[in-house]
Amino acid sequence: MAPLAPGRPPACLLTLLSVVAALSLAAPGLAAGKTGQVTVFWGRNKAEGSLREACDSGMYTMVTISFLDVFGANGKYHLDLSGHDLSAVGADIKHCQSKGVPVSLSIGGYGARYSLPSNRSALDLFDHLWDSYFGGSKPGVPRPLGDAWLDGVDLFLEHGTPADRYDVLALELAKHNIRGGPGKPLHLTATVRCGYPPAAHVGRALATGIFERVHVRIYEESDKACNQYGAWEEAWDRWTAAYPATRFFIGLTADDKSYQWIHPKNVYYGITPVVQKKENYGGVMLWDRYFDKQSDYSSYIKYYA
């Protein structure tokens, strides 16, 4: 029998895959192979459309807004959503949650205005997150997204030092058993470069063993550790073996003009058969909503994830 042709699957297969995805979501701890889980980053380009539109697309099972890009020793905090109207984002978060799509906040990013050089700065960041984006409230602390409660925190730490205390932040989040909404436990995730082992400040946080998910980005052109042929597979093996209790998502770019973009056919035949062999495979992470809206990448990836 000829192999299934890559591309958009036929209608009968879409129905079957939807059933498989639903079963996988019902018992994620037992499932290897396809999960149907697709996380997308939103907030890096105003032209990407609203958060509500992203959730209504039906392409994603989780959205991560990015970034809280200023925090640390100076006591200042800044949320950068690339010019999106923050007064509308809070209502959109609630809308996404009503559709069963959790919304997380990523901290860090590609800038250089963040750090956690001490236990105190880590605890201060926790207080800021709790009072500004979760269930807390404190006089004088603004809530940029209104009374919306987010569903999780993602660590996207492109720079740092071994002294940074993201482990303290992670443990404080877990200790307080924060809820991002009624009955929803906090999703604690990290988005990392492909190369293993991770940088010291990232590894120190992951060593707590309390991260639900890790997104391994294999699309960074500057990540020399994974730019050689087959290197990403070795890194994937090492990541998934090092943290067996954590779900791992393979991170792909949806930018079809990028040198690091992987054609859906190659994802189908070359990526997912490898990553889905791992018992702690979680799904696919896409960078980002803007590029996905241009390329329609997720309309394929959703059925391979």
Side-chain angles (χ1 to χ4, degrees):
M1 181 180 294
L4 177 68
R8 199 184 306 273
C12 61
L13 183 59
L14 298 189
T15 301
L16 176 60
L17 289 174
S18 296
V19 173
V20 172
L23 291 174
S24 297
L25 288 170
L30 302 176
K34 291 179 180 176
T35 64
Q37 295 279 294
V38 178
T39 292
V40 71
F41 274 76
W42 177 92
R44 303 316 313 137
N45 192 311
K46 192 174 182 180
E48 69 197 331
S50 69
L51 179 61
R52 177 182 296 253
E53 180 184 274
C55 293
D56 284 345
S57 71
M59 294 293 108
Y60 318 116
T61 54
M62 186 172 190
V63 179
T64 302
I65 64 176
S66 55
F67 291 107
L68 182 74
D69 65 343
V70 176
F71 57 82
N74 59 13
K76 296 181 180 179
Y77 303 94
H78 178 252
L79 177 66
D80 176 16
L81 297 185
S82 305
H84 283 286
D85 180 5
L86 296 185
S87 66
V89 175
D92 287 358
I93 290 170
K94 294 180 182 180
H95 175 76
C96 293
Q97 292 168 337
S98 74
K99 296 177 70 69
V101 180
V103 181
S104 187
L105 173 64
S106 189
I107 69 171
Y110 292 101
R113 298 173 63 195
Y114 60 87
S115 65
L116 283 186
S118 66
N119 288 16
R120 182 68 264 165
S121 62
L123 295 175
D124 287 346
L125 176 56
F126 166 81
D127 287 340
H128 174 77
L129 291 170
W130 172 241
D131 291 331
S132 299
Y133 302 102
F134 290 93
S137 63
K138 186 176 181 179
V141 177
R143 292 187 63 92
L145 308 178
D147 62 354
W149 286 21
L150 289 169
D151 294 289
V153 175
D154 175 73
L155 273 55
F156 193 117
L157 307 174
E158 275 296 278
H159 71 85
T161 73
D164 281 328
R165 300 311 307 266
Y166 293 99
D167 57 324
V168 174
L169 173 65
L171 289 168
E172 194 69 12
L173 289 168
K175 183 173 71 175
H176 280 72
N177 193 25
I178 295 176
R179 303 256 170 195
K184 295 181 181 179
L186 171 80
H187 298 283
L188 183 58
T189 67
T191 300
V192 301
R193 284 178 170 262
C194 171
Y196 186 90
H201 62 291
V202 176
R204 189 175 191 177
L206 295 178
T208 60
I210 58 177
F211 282 76
E212 174 191 331
R213 309 178 183 187
V214 171
H215 313 127
V216 179
R217 291 143 46 209
I218 65 170
Y219 56 82
E220 295 286 356
E221 189 171 355
S222 61
D223 193 351
K224 296 180 181 179
C226 285
N227 277 345
Q228 297 180 359
Y229 180 78
W232 74 267
E233 295 184 39
E234 179 183 352
W236 180 260
D237 286 344
R238 297 181 70 187
W239 275 111
T240 53
Y243 307 98
T246 298
R247 283 291 187 182
F248 279 84
F249 284 57
I250 193 73
L252 306 174
T253 179
D255 181 6
D256 59 2
K257 297 178 178 59
S258 167
Y259 178 73
Q260 302 298 323
W261 183 73
I262 301 174
H263 193 282
K265 180 175 79 170
N266 294 329
V267 174
Y268 181 83
Y269 286 120
I271 301 293
T272 54
V274 173
V275 298
Q276 290 172 2
K277 290 179 181 178
K278 302 299 182 182
E279 289 296 324
N280 54 342
Y281 165 75
V284 176
M285 182 222 89
L286 293 181
W287 182 271
D288 59 2
R289 170 61 179 166
Y290 171 75
F291 293 125
D292 189 36
K293 194 173 180 180
Q294 309 304 310
S295 66
D296 203 25
Y297 198 47
S298 62
S299 67
Y300 298 91
I301 301 304
K302 176 182 177 181
Y303 301 105
Y304 306 157

